[in-house]
Each structure stands twice: as C-alpha cells, then as structure tokens.
Amino acid sequence: LEPRFVPAREMFLWRQTVLQGARQAAASLQHRPPLLAMVLGAASLLHDGDWQQLRQSGLMHLVVVSGLHVSAIVALTVMVVGAVLRRTGNRRARLLSYVAGAAMVVLFLGLTGLAVPVLRASLMSLVVIAALLLKLRTAWFDIYLLALCGTLWVEPLAFVTPGFWLSFAAVLVLLLSAANRGKRRGRPWI
C-alpha cells in the first residue's frame, strides 16, 4: 500500500530501496527475516514460523516498533551529539544536538515505514524539539493535538484503524497521569 502524500511516498520508495539492499546484504544469514524485522521494523518479512518462535521466546516486542524506540533514539542522539560537541567547545552544542535528534527522528520514521505509533511519537518529538529550540512553553495537550492532526494529515485513513486509536489513547492516558503528577509537585509540563 503506497502512501498518497508526496513526502510519504518518497520515504516509502526510499524504505523499499533500503529493505531491498538489506535483504541482499543479509542474504547469507540464517535468521535474516527476524533480524531485518528487528532492525528496520519490517515485520512483513516474517513468516508464520518466525512469529511462532518470537512468541515462544518472549521476544515479540523486539519487532514491534513503537514510540519508545523513537524516544530512545532522540534521547540517545541528543545526549551523544551534545556531549561530543560540548567536549570540542562548540558553542552551538545544544542547537546542533537537537537538530541531530530531529534528523534521526525523520530518518527512523522513513526506515520504519510511517507506522502510526512511530509517526505519532515522531511528530510529538519534533514538536518538543522545536519548542525547546524556540524556548517556547508548550502545553502537553497542544503537542498531543499537533501529533494527532499531523498523523491524520500524513495518513488520513489511519483514523479508521485500531492502531491509531490504541496509540493515541495510550499516550493520552500517560500524558494525563504525568500532567496530574506534575501539578501535584508544582511543576509545569514543559
């Protein structure tokens, strides 16, 4: 299913090229489909036997790309790039580390094929990075709504999928609980 949104289509085509190259590079590996599924979020490469083995071993979560992966990639990129640039004395370490984090989000989003949970988390991460760079105080609900609208703008048919509703409902529960906890401690959200 090829996306209609032009940048999404370009990402889709780029991802297909990367997947094809990864298939060829890993052709001699015994466990190629699970490896590619874990690294690139390409669960469609798995066969029934692979799914069964993942279920039995308790490793199913490794092939399901989620917002947690996006958050980890952003945090790791910002921390590593920031630390390296600060050690070199670069005065723009903060700015460049956030830009690197945003670039990694876009790259990861392209690699994983615009899955709704990854798209939601990526858009939320990009809005937070923009708010931090622009030194804006942004309410969590604004970030959430921007991600919701952005997801529907990129993938309008996501609205009818259970994954869309489950992803956004789960994040809403997390945000509400974090916001209430922050209020009790007297801390703003961002």
Side-chain angles (χ1 to χ4, degrees), residues 150-171:
T151 300
L152 291 175
W153 183 62
V154 172
E155 197 60 58
L157 295 178
F159 187 81
V160 298
T161 64
F164 173 85
W165 292 108
L166 290 171
S167 176
F168 277 94
V171 169

Side-chain angles (χ1 to χ4, degrees), residues 69-84 97 100-101 104:
H69 295 91
V70 174
S71 302
I73 286 172
V74 170
L76 186 62
T77 302
V78 169
M79 287 188 312
V80 169
V81 170
V84 168
S97 66
M104 285 302 292

Side-chain angles (χ1 to χ4, degrees), residues 9-163:
R9 186 178 313 121
E10 293 301 318
M11 279 185 152
F12 175 80
L13 296 173
W14 173 69
R15 181 174 189 254
Q16 295 304 346
T17 304
V18 169
L19 281 173
Q20 186 61 33
R23 280 188 196 119
Q24 291 170 353
S28 63
L29 297 176
Q30 180 183 0
H31 300 289
R32 179 183 57 166
L35 178 66
L36 293 177
M38 284 185 257
V39 173
L40 299 173
S44 62
L45 298 176
L46 296 175
H47 306 293
D48 290 339
D50 298 322
W51 285 110
Q52 184 65 25
Q53 284 181 333
L54 287 168
R55 269 190 225 90
Q56 289 173 346
S57 65
L59 298 175
M60 179 84 95
H61 64 282
L62 293 177
V63 296
V64 179
V65 180
S66 68
L68 177 63
H69 295 91
V70 174
S71 302
I73 286 172
V74 170
L76 186 62
T77 302
V78 169
M79 287 188 312
V80 169
V81 170
V84 168
L85 291 175
R86 278 190 295 281
R87 285 188 64 91
T88 63
N90 192 315
R91 288 189 226 171
R92 294 183 161 196
R94 180 177 175 267
L95 167 73
L96 294 174
S97 66
Y98 286 147
V99 170
M104 285 302 292
V105 165
V106 172
L107 180 66
F108 187 68
L109 181 61
L111 278 175
T112 57
L114 297 172
V116 169
V118 179
L119 180 58
R120 178 208 29 84
S122 298
L123 291 172
M124 291 180 87
S125 297
L126 291 171
V127 171
V128 168
I129 288 171
L132 290 169
L133 283 173
L134 298 172
K135 297 180 181 175
L136 299 173
R137 292 183 54 86
T138 308
W140 65 266
F141 198 68
D142 293 340
I143 296 168
Y144 179 80
L145 285 178
L146 280 169
L148 184 112
C149 292
T151 300
L152 291 175
W153 183 62
V154 172
E155 197 60 58
L157 295 178
F159 187 81
V160 298
T161 64

